[in-house]
């Protein structure tokens, strides 16, 4: 048989070079630390509210102007284009926090919408919200 001593004499100590492995683990650690979103601790608070004043303020300061091809309604009352500016000026004089929601049908001519917006602007109202259906 062969002598196996040559295996022991030529045997080198085998080691795994883990330098590159440590670099990869360090980069992964940094990646996960940066990309993780930590949840902020917060307590659920049930704060008291004054419902009466909020409802009164909303009713007094929010008006709805609905426009379709045939007529306009201001808070459910039919109004003409000629009456619109004077009525809005009187409402704005009573309440400077007046907000107006403009609801128009799709069939309303763009020129009519521009006329309504011009009358609203001439009345001094700057808080205008345009209400629309969600786009499908």
């Amino acid at each position: 048989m062969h002598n196996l001593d040559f295996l022991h004499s030529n045997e080198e100590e085998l080691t795994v070079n883990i330098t590159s492995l440590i670099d990869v683990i360090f980069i992964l650690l940094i990646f996960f630390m940066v990309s993780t979103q930590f949840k902020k601790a917060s307590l659920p608070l049930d704060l008291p509210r004054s419902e009466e004043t909020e409802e009164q303020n909303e009713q007094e300061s929010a008006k709805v102007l609905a426009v379709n091809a045939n007529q306009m309604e201001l808070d459910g009352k039919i109004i003409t284009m000629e009456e619109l500016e004077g009525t809005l000026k009187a409402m704005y004089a009573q309440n400077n926090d007046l907000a107006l929601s403009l609801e128009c049908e799709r069939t309303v001519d763009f020129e009519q919408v521009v006329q309504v917006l011009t009358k609203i602007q001439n009345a001094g109202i700057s808080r205008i919200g345009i209400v629309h259906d969600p786009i499908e």
Side-chain angles (χ1 to χ4, degrees):
M1 291 246 194
H2 298 290
N3 189 359
L4 297 178
D5 289 335
F6 73 93
L7 288 176
H8 295 298
S9 63
N10 291 338
E11 186 176 312
E12 294 180 19
E13 210 174 296
L14 297 176
T15 59
V16 177
N17 187 0
I18 61 170
T19 306
S20 60
L21 183 63
I22 291 174
D23 291 342
V24 170
I25 290 174
F26 185 67
I27 291 172
L28 284 174
L29 178 67
I30 292 174
F31 171 76
F32 286 120
M33 286 174 55
V34 170
S35 64
T36 302
Q37 294 179 356
F38 296 102
K39 184 178 178 183
K40 294 181 180 178
S42 63
L43 297 173
L45 299 176
D46 186 20
L47 300 175
R49 296 181 187 201
S50 174
E51 296 175 6
E52 294 175 8
T53 56
E54 286 180 10
E55 290 176 8
Q56 289 174 352
N57 289 341
E58 287 176 10
Q59 290 174 355
E60 292 174 3
S61 66
K63 302 294 181 187
V64 177
L65 178 64
V67 181
N68 64 22
N70 301 326
Q71 65 184 12
M72 288 187 294
E73 291 182 1
L74 181 61
D75 276 349
K77 297 176 186 173
I78 296 176
I79 190 168
T80 63
M81 186 70 79
E82 293 79 24
E83 299 171 336
L84 181 63
E85 188 174 339
T87 306
L88 290 175
K89 278 184 181 180
M91 293 170 76
Y92 186 69
Q94 291 176 355
N95 184 5
N96 290 344
D97 291 331
L98 183 66
L100 192 67
S101 295
L102 180 62
E103 298 178 354
C104 292
E105 285 187 350
R106 293 176 191 251
T107 58
V108 176
D109 189 32
F110 183 71
E111 183 179 342
Q112 186 178 358
V113 174
V114 171
Q115 288 174 354
V116 169
L117 287 172
T118 303
K119 297 219 181 250
I120 293 170
Q121 184 179 15
N122 290 343
I125 300 172
S126 60
R127 295 178 57 199
I128 305 168
I130 299 176
V131 181
H132 63 87
D133 291 332
I135 298 174
E136 295 175 0

